[in-house]
């Protein structure tokens, strides 16, 4: 029998980013006992890396903004396969969640009359992103942590959950290991909220940190939950590409929001060459108008650099393929040019984009107030995730909830920048509230000791095989290369078929990886255990991407380059079949109520 500590909570929240913290705060405020587990130290989640801001129709900078416009923008950005109920709730509730952060102590940048300042971002019609310079995520995490820490939440840091445990259909516990000491932990819970973030580490070039290995997606899938929209992966157009050690690191969209422009090697602003029909009416047709928009002229329309991320990424790829790229295979992002327009421009850039200034200065020895940056697309976010009920965030597994990046629905085929930080506080709160409610209706379930023993045995198997087996990193790198090359920004049937065929040999290799040393802080062992998650999400992405024979949002196929109206009628679902194989199906999109359709009509 493996040795493990047992903890018991009414609600267990797995993940301590914005979604997890907000869920834990809400559940705890409802009077139930709450445990919060995270892989790294508290405060180090992905959310802390968020830069540009939180989208919420506060209408502080432009009084034409309201929840209806935000809703319409989100649906257009998601190309109408979003869960419209989630998009509606998100647009309606985000302003209150932002004001609540302010009341809890978040120090936002201010307008001259003391309101929360809002900035422009891609796909948002009006300036909508509440921000703290380009360190918004840090302020969000700090605020939620400060608030949460006084609520009596039990925090289990540096603990990775590797399995969810069920009693019949219902989820009743989770099993994991402490990263530092390697000891096992068993959590009993009446309800569990997954808030584990994304899957970026399935790709070679990514803005995501080591933590984002698709754990929540896989835990849910293995427990019988449906995953939805997994083909929709967001490739952010602006990641660093040089030097190689920092390739993929994010360059915030706020650079373009503040007036930064994209140029090819000929010095031309190529984004004016290709403006999609459904955005033409909202997009500037000349550089002067675009500049005026970034400076708050309400009569001007946004520059094409602020079109949605999927489109901007593809335009960059096109320039590079046409031989008009930068020396290291990207294009140029120029914010330095605004010095010609703004007195004290260099100081202005440093004030508005302090992290970007330091990031390039320290990592690339480049001063962004003087020199254009070299950038290219980077895997950034997954729109797909656990399929949840829009109001409660519960999955199809009773007692299992999901919120934030690991849940699907709100973003459809493409997420607008800023909509994640608002998503995580809106639906984090809802998940916490409904998980607490659910837990009140339940008794503690029975944990199957045999299942726990089996989970521990499987987790320790890489040690049994020892260091003579193949190392986990070789398998991880091979998978990342394959996903990058064959299921990346531009996809097609033969390449994705090759990826699908390539997954089984990788699984076989993953089953044989071995590690040496002991259980105390052993990154090789952790990487070995992550492989199952990375392979599962990669298979889900590939199968769904093969099935969606059109291009929509983050999913672009050069063998089906157009949108197919017939494909706007369903979401793709994967679930674990009885024999253990991944099964794919289509779920028809529920009919949108007439009043929401009218809002979209009125805001095109
Ligand atoms: C560089 C960067 C900049 C960004 N800027 C913005 C922005 O300006 N605006 C915006 O809206 N969005 C932005 N995003 C996206 C946004 O930050 C994320 O989508 C969002 O923070 C996700 O929050 P989350 O709470 O869902 O998960 P995360 O913040 O990713 O937290 C996940 C948590 O789950 C834990 N976890 C994972 N697996 C396990 C496991 N197996 N066991 C236990 N714990 C686990 C992790 O330790 C972590 O605590 C940015 C993303 C990046 C990478």
């Amino acid at each position: 029998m493996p040795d493990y500590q047992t903890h018991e909570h009414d609600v267990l929240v797995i993940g301590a980013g914005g979604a997890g913290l907000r869920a834990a705060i809400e559940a705890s405020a409802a009077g139930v006992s709450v445990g919060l587990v995270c892989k790294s130290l508290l405060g180090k989640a992905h959310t802390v890396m968020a830069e540009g801001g939180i989208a919420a129709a506060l209408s502080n900078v432009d009084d034409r903004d309201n929840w209806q416009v935000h809703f319409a923008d989100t649906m257009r950005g998601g190309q109408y396969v979003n869960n419209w109920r989630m998009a509606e709730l998100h647009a309606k509730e985000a302003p209150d969640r932002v004001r609540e952060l302010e009341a809890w102590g978040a120090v936002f940048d201010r307008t001259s009359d003391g309101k929360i300042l809002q900035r422009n971002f891609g796909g948002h019609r009006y300036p909508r992103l509440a921000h703290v310079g380009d360190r918004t995520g840090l302020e969000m995490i700090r605020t939620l942590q400060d608030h949460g820490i006084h609520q009596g939440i039990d925090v289990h840091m540096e603990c990775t959950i590797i399995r969810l445990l069920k009693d019949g259909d219902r989820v009743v516990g989770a099993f994991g290991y402490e990263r530092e000491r390697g000891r096992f932990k068993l959590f009993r819970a009446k309800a569990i909220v997954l808030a584990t973030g994304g899957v970026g580490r399935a790709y070679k070039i990514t803005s995501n940190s080591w933590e984002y290995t698709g754990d929540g997606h896989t835990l849910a899938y293995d427990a019988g939950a449906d995953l939805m929209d997994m083909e929709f992966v967001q490739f952010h157009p602006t990641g660093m590409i040089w030097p190689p050690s920092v390739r993929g690191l994010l360059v915030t969209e706020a650079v373009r929001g503040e007036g930064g422009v994209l140029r090819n090697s000929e010095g031309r602003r190529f984004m004016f060459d290709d403006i999609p029909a459904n955005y033409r009416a909202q997009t500037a047709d000349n550089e002067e108008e675009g500049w005026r928009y970034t400076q708050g002229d309400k009569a001007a329309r946004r520059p094409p650099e602020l079109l949605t991320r999927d489109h901007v990424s593809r335009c960059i790829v096109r320039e590079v393929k046409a031989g008009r790229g930068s020396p290291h295979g990207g294009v140029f992002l120029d914010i330095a040019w605004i010095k010609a327009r703004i007195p004290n421009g260099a100081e202005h850039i440093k004030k508005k984009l302090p992290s970007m200034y330091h990031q390039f200065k320290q990592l690339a020895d480049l001063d962004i107030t003087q020199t254009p940056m070299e950038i290219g697309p980077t895997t950034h976010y997954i729109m797909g995730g656990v399929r949840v009920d829009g109001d409660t965030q519960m999955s199809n597994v009773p007692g299992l909830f999901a919120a934030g990046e690991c849940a699907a629905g709100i973003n459809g085929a493409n997420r607008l920048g800023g909509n994640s930080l608002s998503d995580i506080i809106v639906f984090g709160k809802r998940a916490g509230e409904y998980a607490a409610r659910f837990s009140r209706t339940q008794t503690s379930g029975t944990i199957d000791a045999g299942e726990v023993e089996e989970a521990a045995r499987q987790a320790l198997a890489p040690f049994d095989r020892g260091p003579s087996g193949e190392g986990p990193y070789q398998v991880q790198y091979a998978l990342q290369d394959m996903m990058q090359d064959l299921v990346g920004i531009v996809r097609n049937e033969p390449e994705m078929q090759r990826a699908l065929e390539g997954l089984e040999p990788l699984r076989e290799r993953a089953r044989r990886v071995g590690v040496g040393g002991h259980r105390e802080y052993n990154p090789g062992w952790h990487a070995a255990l992550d492989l199952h998650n990375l392979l599962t999400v990669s298979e889900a992405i590939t199968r769904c991407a093969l099935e969606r024979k059109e291009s929509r949002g983050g999913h672009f196929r050069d063998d089906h380059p157009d949108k197919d109206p017939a494909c706007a009628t369903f979401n793709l679902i994967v679930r674990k079949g009885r024999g253990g194989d991944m099964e794919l199906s289509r779920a028809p999109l529920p009919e949108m109520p007439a009043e929401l359709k009218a809002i979209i009509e009125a805001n095109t």
Side-chain angles (χ1 to χ4, degrees):
M1 194 69 181
D3 201 17
Y4 53 80
Q5 285 176 7
T6 303
H7 302 268
E8 187 150 2
H9 306 286
D10 292 322
V11 173
L12 180 72
V13 180
I14 305 175
L21 276 164
R22 191 61 192 83
I25 289 170
E26 199 62 21
S28 166
V32 301
S33 69
V34 179
L36 179 64
V37 191
C38 52
K39 254 176 161 177
S40 52
L41 293 171
L42 191 62
K44 279 202 72 216
H46 220 171
T47 301
V48 84
M49 297 160 75
E51 295 163 352
I54 314 170
L58 297 158
S59 340
N60 288 350
V61 172
D62 195 319
D63 58 13
R64 292 171 297 179
D65 203 12
N66 53 45
W67 79 261
Q68 288 93 336
V69 188
H70 192 183
F71 166 75
D73 286 352
T74 301
M75 293 299 295
R76 186 184 309 106
Q79 310 214 340
Y80 304 107
V81 291
N82 322 50
N83 176 326
W84 48 258
R85 176 64 178 154
M86 286 175 78
E88 177 193 7
L89 290 170
H90 166 254
K92 282 181 174 164
E93 294 177 6
D96 281 349
R97 295 287 75 78
V98 171
R99 287 189 205 102
E100 179 178 73
L101 282 182
E102 186 186 32
W104 290 350
V107 186
F108 288 103
D109 286 6
R110 298 275 152 192
T111 61
S112 53
D113 55 350
K115 295 180 188 155
I116 295 174
L117 183 60
Q118 296 183 271
R119 66 160 44 118
N120 291 311
F121 240 57
H124 292 282
R125 179 173 281 210
Y126 302 121
R128 190 175 282 149
L129 267 69
H131 60 276
V132 183
D134 55 5
R135 294 175 181 148
T136 312
L138 175 63
E139 187 66 1
M140 178 185 271
I141 281 282
R142 187 195 65 72
T143 306
L144 290 174
Q145 237 173 249
D146 277 3
H147 192 80
I149 218 79
H150 301 294
Q151 302 254 330
I153 299 163
D154 283 332
V155 181
H156 307 270
M157 287 191 264
E158 297 203 297
C159 176
T160 302
I161 299 299
I162 50 175
R163 185 172 306 201
L164 297 179
L165 303 164
K166 286 167 70 180
D167 180 359
D169 285 345
R170 178 164 74 98
V171 76
V172 291
F175 186 67
Y177 66 91
E178 286 176 342
R179 298 177 77 82
E180 195 185 352
R181 307 298 297 275
R183 293 179 301 212
F184 290 121
K185 285 194 172 200
L186 173 69
F187 297 91
R188 294 171 165 276
K190 296 174 188 156
I192 291 186
V193 179
L194 290 171
T196 49
V199 308
R201 287 280 154 176
Y203 287 83
K204 183 177 172 185
I205 301 172
T206 178
S207 64
N208 290 190
S209 85
W210 60 268
E211 289 185 71
Y212 301 102
T213 45
D215 298 9
H217 293 74
T218 307
L219 288 166
Y221 170 83
D222 284 340
D226 289 352
L227 301 184
M228 185 171 94
D229 290 344
M230 291 297 286
E231 69 276 31
F232 296 129
V233 175
Q234 180 169 80
F235 300 93
H236 193 293
T238 60
M240 289 179 81
I241 56 169
W242 194 257
S245 57
V246 295
R247 190 162 186 154
L249 205 66
L250 195 76
V251 181
T252 174
E253 192 163 323
V255 176
R256 286 170 283 144
E258 297 295 341
V261 299
L262 291 168
R263 295 186 202 281
N264 61 20
S265 58
E266 296 163 359
R268 201 161 51 81
R269 276 181 73 178
F270 56 89
M271 287 304 302
F272 278 102
D273 300 349
D274 182 2
I275 298 171
N278 58 339
Y279 280 97
R280 208 160 286 149
Q282 300 179 7
T283 307
D285 40 30
N286 61 71
E287 298 191 9
E288 187 55 35
E289 184 184 6
W291 168 249
R292 285 194 282 110
Y293 175 92
T294 64
Q295 300 312 297
D297 180 346
K298 291 186 182 171
R301 293 166 299 170
R302 66 175 157 242
E305 277 87 358
L306 290 178
L307 285 163
T308 53
R309 293 173 173 179
D310 53 330
H311 179 73
V312 180
S313 290
R314 282 194 295 277
C315 290
I316 292 172
V317 170
R318 187 195 58 211
E319 290 305 300
V320 174
K321 279 195 172 155
R324 297 188 291 266
S326 65
H328 300 104
V331 295
F332 296 103
L333 171 62
D334 187 4
I335 184 76
W337 83 278
I338 71 170
K339 286 185 300 180
R341 301 286 188 131
I342 292 185
N344 239 339
E347 286 315 306
H348 176 84
I349 294 166
K350 285 189 210 168
K351 179 161 171 248
K352 287 287 181 184
L353 302 163
S355 297
M356 287 304 105
Y357 175 75
H358 289 292
Q359 183 172 310
F360 275 88
K361 197 85 189 113
Q362 285 164 11
L363 302 177
D365 194 23
L366 183 143
D367 180 350
I368 66 168
T369 69
Q370 307 297 328
T371 314
M373 300 156 248
E374 260 191 90
I375 55 86
T378 180
T379 313
H380 186 56
Y381 183 89
I382 183 153
M383 278 65 78
V386 183
R387 184 190 196 188
V388 290
D389 172 75
D391 285 74
T392 65
Q393 300 288 289
M394 191 156 92
S395 70
N396 56 306
V397 174
L400 183 62
F401 297 73
E405 189 169 342
C406 75
I410 184 200
N411 297 298
N414 180 45
R415 173 178 74 90
L416 299 185
N419 268 2
S420 175
L421 290 190
S422 40
D423 161 20
I424 63 185
I425 45 177
V426 166
F427 293 108
K429 175 186 183 295
R430 282 183 166 267
E433 179 185 338
Y434 285 95
R437 263 192 221 184
F438 182 89
S439 74
R440 286 220 164 88
T441 66
Q442 306 295 318
T443 53
S444 302
T446 306
I447 302 272
D448 177 349
E451 195 182 350
V452 173
E453 202 167 328
E454 174 58 16
R457 194 192 57 73
Q458 278 185 17
L460 295 175
F463 286 113
D464 300 339
R465 292 188 287 268
S468 54
E470 186 178 21
Y473 291 107
Q474 280 101 304
V475 183
Q476 193 196 87
Y477 297 153
L479 175 68
Q480 289 167 335
D481 283 341
M482 186 179 84
M483 291 301 288
Q484 188 75 36
D485 292 345
L486 304 180
V487 201
I489 303 175
V490 178
R491 303 166 171 177
N492 60 50
E493 177 109 18
E495 288 184 351
M496 290 192 287
Q497 277 298 352
R498 270 171 52 210
L500 200 58
E501 285 154 22
L503 282 166
E504 196 38 49
L506 286 172
R507 261 189 211 290
E508 192 45 47
R509 283 167 65 184
R511 281 193 278 268
R512 291 198 308 261
V513 295
V515 296
H518 47 72
R519 282 160 65 174
E520 294 199 4
Y521 210 88
N522 186 331
W525 180 39
H526 305 165
L529 297 184
D530 290 344
L531 287 175
H532 169 63
N533 305 335
L534 287 169
L535 285 157
T536 303
V537 294
S538 297
E539 181 177 348
I541 292 168
T542 309
R543 285 193 186 280
C544 293
L546 271 163
E547 177 70 8
R548 188 168 282 281
K549 294 184 174 44
E550 63 156 355
S551 293
R552 184 177 296 272
H555 170 68
F556 182 80
R557 292 187 54 156
D558 59 8
D559 51 352
H560 296 280
D562 299 317
K563 270 205 283 281
D564 177 355
C567 295
T569 57
F570 60 81
N571 296 111
L572 291 175
I573 308 292
V574 291
R575 67 175 66 99
K576 198 171 195 168
R578 284 187 190 283
D581 287 344
M582 194 173 278
E583 289 177 356
L584 179 73
S585 60
R586 295 178 176 197
L589 278 165
E591 180 73 14
M592 191 188 294
E595 62 272 21
L596 293 183
K597 282 188 190 159
I599 290 171
I600 291 175
E601 282 287 303
N603 287 287
T604 42

